Short mmCIF file of all heavy atoms in Angstrom, two decimals:
data_model
loop_
_atom_site.label_atom_id
_atom_site.label_comp_id
_atom_site.label_asym_id
_atom_site.label_seq_id
_atom_site.Cartn_x
_atom_site.Cartn_y
_atom_site.Cartn_z
N VAL A 8 0.85 -1.18 -0.03
CA VAL A 8 0.01 0.03 -0.01
C VAL A 8 0.83 1.23 0.02
O VAL A 8 0.57 2.21 -0.77
CB VAL A 8 -0.92 -0.01 1.19
CG1 VAL A 8 -1.66 1.31 1.34
CG2 VAL A 8 -1.98 -1.14 1.12
N GLN A 9 1.93 1.23 0.81
CA GLN A 9 2.84 2.40 0.85
C GLN A 9 3.56 2.65 -0.48
O GLN A 9 3.63 3.78 -0.95
CB GLN A 9 3.91 2.21 1.93
CG GLN A 9 3.38 2.28 3.36
CD GLN A 9 4.46 2.07 4.37
OE1 GLN A 9 5.53 1.45 4.05
NE2 GLN A 9 4.24 2.49 5.60
N THR A 10 3.89 1.50 -1.13
CA THR A 10 4.53 1.65 -2.48
C THR A 10 3.55 2.25 -3.51
O THR A 10 3.86 3.17 -4.27
CB THR A 10 5.07 0.32 -2.92
OG1 THR A 10 6.08 -0.18 -2.04
CG2 THR A 10 5.74 0.47 -4.30
N ALA A 11 2.34 1.73 -3.45
CA ALA A 11 1.33 2.24 -4.38
C ALA A 11 1.02 3.71 -4.12
O ALA A 11 0.86 4.50 -5.09
CB ALA A 11 -0.02 1.37 -4.19
N ALA A 12 0.92 4.10 -2.88
CA ALA A 12 0.62 5.46 -2.55
C ALA A 12 1.81 6.42 -2.99
O ALA A 12 1.55 7.51 -3.53
CB ALA A 12 0.50 5.65 -0.98
N ALA A 13 3.05 5.88 -2.83
CA ALA A 13 4.23 6.71 -3.34
C ALA A 13 4.17 6.79 -4.84
O ALA A 13 4.50 7.91 -5.40
CB ALA A 13 5.53 6.04 -2.86
N ASP A 14 3.81 5.73 -5.54
CA ASP A 14 3.73 5.78 -6.98
C ASP A 14 2.59 6.74 -7.41
O ASP A 14 2.79 7.52 -8.40
CB ASP A 14 3.47 4.42 -7.53
CG ASP A 14 4.67 3.52 -7.43
OD1 ASP A 14 5.81 4.00 -7.22
OD2 ASP A 14 4.51 2.25 -7.52
N GLN A 15 1.47 6.73 -6.70
CA GLN A 15 0.38 7.67 -7.10
C GLN A 15 0.75 9.08 -6.81
O GLN A 15 0.46 10.00 -7.65
CB GLN A 15 -0.87 7.28 -6.29
CG GLN A 15 -1.49 5.98 -6.63
CD GLN A 15 -2.65 5.63 -5.82
OE1 GLN A 15 -2.78 6.03 -4.66
NE2 GLN A 15 -3.56 4.81 -6.30
N PHE A 16 1.51 9.30 -5.76
CA PHE A 16 1.90 10.74 -5.43
C PHE A 16 2.89 11.19 -6.54
O PHE A 16 2.78 12.33 -6.99
CB PHE A 16 2.61 10.76 -4.08
CG PHE A 16 3.07 12.16 -3.71
CD1 PHE A 16 2.14 13.12 -3.16
CD2 PHE A 16 4.32 12.57 -3.90
CE1 PHE A 16 2.58 14.35 -2.83
CE2 PHE A 16 4.78 13.86 -3.59
CZ PHE A 16 3.84 14.78 -3.02
N THR A 17 3.82 10.36 -6.90
CA THR A 17 4.73 10.71 -7.91
C THR A 17 4.03 11.01 -9.24
O THR A 17 4.32 12.06 -9.90
CB THR A 17 5.74 9.52 -8.25
OG1 THR A 17 6.51 9.32 -7.02
CG2 THR A 17 6.74 9.85 -9.33
N ALA A 18 3.01 10.24 -9.60
CA ALA A 18 2.30 10.43 -10.84
C ALA A 18 1.47 11.76 -10.81
O ALA A 18 1.29 12.42 -11.82
CB ALA A 18 1.33 9.27 -11.11
N ALA A 19 1.07 12.11 -9.56
CA ALA A 19 0.23 13.34 -9.45
C ALA A 19 1.08 14.55 -9.52
O ALA A 19 0.72 15.59 -10.11
CB ALA A 19 -0.46 13.30 -8.07
N VAL A 20 2.34 14.54 -8.95
CA VAL A 20 3.15 15.75 -8.87
C VAL A 20 4.00 15.87 -10.12
O VAL A 20 4.45 16.95 -10.52
CB VAL A 20 4.14 15.65 -7.65
CG1 VAL A 20 5.06 16.79 -7.60
CG2 VAL A 20 3.23 15.66 -6.45
N LEU A 21 4.32 14.77 -10.83
CA LEU A 21 5.31 14.79 -11.98
C LEU A 21 4.88 15.80 -13.06
O LEU A 21 5.68 16.48 -13.61
CB LEU A 21 5.42 13.39 -12.56
CG LEU A 21 6.67 13.22 -13.42
CD1 LEU A 21 7.93 13.46 -12.64
CD2 LEU A 21 6.74 11.79 -14.00
N PRO A 22 3.59 15.92 -13.46
CA PRO A 22 3.21 16.90 -14.45
C PRO A 22 3.49 18.33 -14.03
O PRO A 22 3.79 19.19 -14.82
CB PRO A 22 1.71 16.68 -14.61
CG PRO A 22 1.42 15.28 -14.26
CD PRO A 22 2.39 14.97 -13.09
N VAL A 23 3.41 18.59 -12.71
CA VAL A 23 3.71 19.91 -12.19
C VAL A 23 5.18 20.22 -12.32
O VAL A 23 5.65 21.19 -12.72
CB VAL A 23 3.29 20.06 -10.69
CG1 VAL A 23 3.57 21.43 -10.19
CG2 VAL A 23 1.81 19.72 -10.58
N VAL A 24 6.03 19.15 -11.94
CA VAL A 24 7.48 19.28 -12.05
C VAL A 24 7.87 19.49 -13.50
O VAL A 24 8.71 20.32 -13.83
CB VAL A 24 8.17 18.04 -11.47
CG1 VAL A 24 9.69 18.02 -11.82
CG2 VAL A 24 7.93 17.89 -10.10
N GLN A 25 7.17 18.75 -14.45
CA GLN A 25 7.48 19.00 -15.90
C GLN A 25 7.13 20.36 -16.36
O GLN A 25 7.87 20.91 -17.15
CB GLN A 25 6.72 17.94 -16.71
CG GLN A 25 7.09 17.87 -18.17
CD GLN A 25 8.57 17.59 -18.32
OE1 GLN A 25 9.16 16.65 -17.75
NE2 GLN A 25 9.29 18.35 -19.10
N SER A 26 6.01 20.84 -15.78
CA SER A 26 5.68 22.29 -16.19
C SER A 26 6.73 23.30 -15.69
O SER A 26 7.09 24.23 -16.35
CB SER A 26 4.33 22.60 -15.56
OG SER A 26 3.95 23.95 -15.79
N ILE A 27 7.22 22.98 -14.48
CA ILE A 27 8.35 23.86 -13.89
C ILE A 27 9.54 23.76 -14.79
O ILE A 27 10.16 24.78 -15.10
CB ILE A 27 8.61 23.41 -12.42
CG1 ILE A 27 7.37 23.78 -11.56
CG2 ILE A 27 9.85 24.18 -11.98
CD1 ILE A 27 7.45 23.26 -10.13
N ARG A 28 9.93 22.52 -15.13
CA ARG A 28 11.08 22.38 -16.02
C ARG A 28 10.93 23.10 -17.32
O ARG A 28 11.86 23.77 -17.88
CB ARG A 28 11.33 20.87 -16.28
CG ARG A 28 12.05 20.13 -15.12
CD ARG A 28 12.06 18.66 -15.46
NE ARG A 28 13.11 17.97 -14.76
CZ ARG A 28 13.36 16.71 -14.85
NH1 ARG A 28 12.51 15.95 -15.54
NH2 ARG A 28 14.37 16.11 -14.18
N ASN A 29 9.73 23.03 -17.90
CA ASN A 29 9.44 23.66 -19.21
C ASN A 29 9.58 25.22 -19.13
O ASN A 29 9.84 25.86 -20.08
CB ASN A 29 8.07 23.30 -19.71
CG ASN A 29 8.00 21.81 -20.10
OD1 ASN A 29 9.00 21.20 -20.32
ND2 ASN A 29 6.75 21.38 -20.10
N SER A 30 9.38 25.69 -17.91
CA SER A 30 9.57 27.18 -17.66
C SER A 30 10.96 27.61 -17.55
O SER A 30 11.24 28.79 -17.46
CB SER A 30 8.78 27.61 -16.46
OG SER A 30 9.38 27.13 -15.28
N GLY A 31 11.93 26.61 -17.51
CA GLY A 31 13.35 26.96 -17.48
C GLY A 31 13.99 26.60 -16.16
O GLY A 31 15.27 26.68 -16.06
N ALA A 32 13.23 26.17 -15.16
CA ALA A 32 13.85 25.80 -13.89
C ALA A 32 14.16 24.34 -13.90
O ALA A 32 13.27 23.49 -13.81
CB ALA A 32 12.84 26.12 -12.72
N THR A 33 15.41 23.99 -14.12
CA THR A 33 15.81 22.51 -14.32
C THR A 33 16.65 21.91 -13.27
O THR A 33 16.66 20.67 -13.13
CB THR A 33 16.54 22.40 -15.65
OG1 THR A 33 17.74 23.28 -15.63
CG2 THR A 33 15.72 22.80 -16.88
N SER A 34 17.28 22.80 -12.41
CA SER A 34 18.09 22.22 -11.32
C SER A 34 17.19 21.75 -10.22
O SER A 34 15.97 22.18 -10.06
CB SER A 34 19.07 23.18 -10.80
OG SER A 34 18.41 24.22 -10.14
N LEU A 35 17.69 20.90 -9.31
CA LEU A 35 16.95 20.36 -8.19
C LEU A 35 16.53 21.60 -7.27
O LEU A 35 15.46 21.64 -6.79
CB LEU A 35 17.75 19.36 -7.40
CG LEU A 35 17.98 18.01 -8.06
CD1 LEU A 35 18.80 17.12 -7.14
CD2 LEU A 35 16.66 17.28 -8.40
N GLU A 36 17.46 22.46 -7.06
CA GLU A 36 17.21 23.62 -6.23
C GLU A 36 16.06 24.48 -6.80
O GLU A 36 15.20 24.95 -6.05
CB GLU A 36 18.47 24.42 -5.97
CG GLU A 36 19.52 23.76 -5.16
CD GLU A 36 20.25 22.66 -5.87
OE1 GLU A 36 20.08 22.60 -7.10
OE2 GLU A 36 20.97 21.87 -5.22
N ALA A 37 16.16 24.72 -8.09
CA ALA A 37 15.15 25.59 -8.72
C ALA A 37 13.78 24.92 -8.75
O ALA A 37 12.72 25.61 -8.45
CB ALA A 37 15.56 25.91 -10.26
N ILE A 38 13.76 23.63 -8.97
CA ILE A 38 12.45 22.93 -8.92
C ILE A 38 11.83 22.95 -7.48
O ILE A 38 10.68 23.17 -7.30
CB ILE A 38 12.64 21.51 -9.36
CG1 ILE A 38 13.08 21.41 -10.85
CG2 ILE A 38 11.35 20.68 -9.18
CD1 ILE A 38 13.36 20.09 -11.38
N THR A 39 12.76 22.79 -6.51
CA THR A 39 12.31 22.82 -5.12
C THR A 39 11.64 24.14 -4.77
O THR A 39 10.62 24.17 -4.12
CB THR A 39 13.55 22.54 -4.19
OG1 THR A 39 14.06 21.26 -4.46
CG2 THR A 39 13.08 22.59 -2.72
N VAL A 40 12.35 25.25 -5.14
CA VAL A 40 11.82 26.55 -4.84
C VAL A 40 10.45 26.76 -5.52
O VAL A 40 9.55 27.30 -4.98
CB VAL A 40 12.87 27.67 -5.37
CG1 VAL A 40 12.25 29.08 -5.26
CG2 VAL A 40 14.10 27.62 -4.45
N ALA A 41 10.38 26.34 -6.77
CA ALA A 41 9.13 26.54 -7.56
C ALA A 41 8.00 25.72 -6.82
O ALA A 41 6.83 26.24 -6.83
CB ALA A 41 9.39 26.10 -8.99
N LEU A 42 8.24 24.53 -6.51
CA LEU A 42 7.15 23.72 -5.84
C LEU A 42 6.70 24.38 -4.59
O LEU A 42 5.52 24.45 -4.31
CB LEU A 42 7.67 22.29 -5.57
CG LEU A 42 7.80 21.37 -6.70
CD1 LEU A 42 8.58 20.06 -6.25
CD2 LEU A 42 6.47 21.01 -7.28
N ASN A 43 7.58 24.89 -3.80
CA ASN A 43 7.25 25.52 -2.53
C ASN A 43 6.49 26.86 -2.81
O ASN A 43 5.56 27.21 -2.08
CB ASN A 43 8.49 25.81 -1.64
CG ASN A 43 8.99 24.56 -1.09
OD1 ASN A 43 8.26 23.55 -0.69
ND2 ASN A 43 10.35 24.51 -0.93
N GLN A 44 6.91 27.60 -3.87
CA GLN A 44 6.25 28.86 -4.11
C GLN A 44 4.86 28.62 -4.64
O GLN A 44 3.90 29.37 -4.43
CB GLN A 44 7.06 29.59 -5.23
CG GLN A 44 8.33 30.24 -4.72
CD GLN A 44 9.04 30.93 -5.87
OE1 GLN A 44 8.92 30.66 -6.99
NE2 GLN A 44 9.98 31.81 -5.45
N ARG A 45 4.59 27.46 -5.35
CA ARG A 45 3.26 27.13 -5.80
C ARG A 45 2.41 26.50 -4.76
O ARG A 45 1.14 26.28 -4.94
CB ARG A 45 3.39 26.08 -7.01
CG ARG A 45 4.01 26.70 -8.25
CD ARG A 45 3.90 25.74 -9.37
NE ARG A 45 4.57 26.19 -10.55
CZ ARG A 45 4.35 25.78 -11.80
NH1 ARG A 45 3.44 24.78 -11.98
NH2 ARG A 45 5.00 26.31 -12.85
N GLY A 46 2.95 26.27 -3.55
CA GLY A 46 2.19 25.76 -2.48
C GLY A 46 1.95 24.25 -2.53
O GLY A 46 1.07 23.72 -1.85
N ILE A 47 2.71 23.57 -3.44
CA ILE A 47 2.58 22.12 -3.55
C ILE A 47 3.19 21.48 -2.32
O ILE A 47 4.33 21.78 -2.02
CB ILE A 47 3.24 21.61 -4.85
CG1 ILE A 47 2.60 22.32 -6.07
CG2 ILE A 47 3.04 20.13 -4.95
CD1 ILE A 47 1.20 22.13 -6.31
N ARG A 48 2.47 20.55 -1.68
CA ARG A 48 3.01 19.90 -0.54
C ARG A 48 3.84 18.63 -0.85
O ARG A 48 3.46 17.99 -1.90
CB ARG A 48 1.99 19.60 0.48
CG ARG A 48 1.21 20.83 0.97
CD ARG A 48 0.33 20.56 2.12
NE ARG A 48 -0.38 21.74 2.63
CZ ARG A 48 -0.83 21.87 3.84
NH1 ARG A 48 -0.62 20.95 4.70
NH2 ARG A 48 -1.42 23.01 4.17
N SER A 49 4.79 18.36 -0.10
CA SER A 49 5.57 17.09 -0.27
C SER A 49 4.68 15.84 0.11
O SER A 49 3.59 16.02 0.66
CB SER A 49 6.83 17.05 0.53
OG SER A 49 6.58 17.01 1.92
N ALA A 50 5.21 14.67 -0.05
CA ALA A 50 4.50 13.49 0.26
C ALA A 50 4.26 13.43 1.78
O ALA A 50 3.23 12.83 2.17
CB ALA A 50 5.29 12.22 -0.11
N ARG A 51 5.07 14.05 2.60
CA ARG A 51 4.83 14.08 4.03
C ARG A 51 3.97 15.32 4.52
O ARG A 51 3.75 15.44 5.66
CB ARG A 51 6.19 14.14 4.80
CG ARG A 51 7.06 12.89 4.53
CD ARG A 51 8.35 12.95 5.35
NE ARG A 51 9.16 11.87 5.12
CZ ARG A 51 9.12 10.73 5.81
NH1 ARG A 51 8.14 10.72 6.81
NH2 ARG A 51 9.88 9.67 5.63
#
């Protein structure tokens, strides 16, 4: 169940990450900042 939940969370957030990358933010730090600025919460 935990693995399935992690996979579902990844599938849900990945399009948002891809959108961030398309805007030019490609480094881990830049993606992290963009996710927090958008109010997207982590798996925890």
Side-chain angles (χ1 to χ4, degrees):
V8 171
Q9 288 180 342
T10 299
D14 289 341
Q15 288 177 337
F16 181 82
T17 298
V20 177
L21 199 59
V23 183
V24 173
Q25 189 58 51
S26 175
I27 292 171
R28 280 175 155 177
N29 293 340
S30 68
T33 56
S34 69
L35 291 177
E36 290 75 12
I38 295 172
T39 301
V40 170
L42 284 170
N43 288 326
Q44 287 179 340
R45 293 189 181 197
I47 305 297
R48 299 192 180 204
S49 69
R51 296 182 180 273

